[in-house]
Amino acid sequence: INEYKIEPQKICQIPLGVNVENFKPSTKSHIEEAKIKLGISKNNFVIGSFQKDGEGKKDGLEPKLIKGPDILIKVLKEISKNFPLTVLLSAPARGYVKRELELNGINYVYKYVNHPDDLSKLYSAIDLYLITSREEGGPKGLMEALSSGKKVVSTPVGMSLDLKNLKIRNLLVSGSFNHEELVLLCAKQLQLKNSSEFSSESHNKIKNFCSWEKVAEEHVRKLYS
């Protein structure tokens, strides 16, 4: 507003949208089937991370620090000491995270998908989605995971603060970027039994706030009316 002299009334905020028909809660049998297909033990807790966090478009061995892969590793190291853990990874340029998981003896599965909609099958397999970024616009994974009815722990970035205001019980947002605080929040989420009530609430609140349909309506109302 100040730098480019834009009139304040011309500024509006519209959330990122999510395909709630593709990302929705899975049945218990679908969850078990998804874990089996990925070779994950049914006795393990599965933490998902599906965001690019390495520099460049190749292996990503150099961490992109605004995405917080160093924080991610610190959290997973502590969680693995107290929980039987498998980390499910997707997205390109995850070389740094994979290398650090291997160095610390943490079990992981990496599955790259060619189409965003295929991610829904990966969300079925996880117990918790973890976001450790220092800067974000969304991220998309935040809405996808919550629309899928999954528990989420996030740093206070992007839309996590907007969604926190919706009082989604599946979502816990840290007050800082301290990995110890994130470890405590993850442990709290993992110790809670999966609740179909919480999953349905999570999906419905996301649907009412940022489904593609709602976001399209916001564009029409705020930008073109």
Side-chain angles (χ1 to χ4, degrees), residues 81-92:
K81 294 176 183 178
N82 298 300
F83 294 89
L85 179 64
T86 296
V87 180
L88 181 56
L89 301 174
S90 190

Side-chain angles (χ1 to χ4, degrees), residues 31-32 34-36 38-48 79-88 105-109 122-128 150-151 189-192 194:
I31 293 170
E32 291 175 353
K35 288 187 177 184
I36 289 170
L38 291 166
I40 298 173
S41 170
K42 65 178 182 180
N43 298 318
N44 278 19
F45 289 103
V46 184
I47 293 181
I79 290 292
S80 67
K81 294 176 183 178
N82 298 300
F83 294 89
L85 179 64
T86 296
V87 180
L88 181 56
I106 300 172
N107 185 44
Y108 76 90
V109 173
L122 299 188
Y123 283 108
S124 292
I126 69 171
D127 299 293
L128 171 69
K150 296 300 179 177
K151 300 170 186 173
Q189 291 283 53
L190 293 175
Q191 287 165 347
L192 289 174
N194 287 333

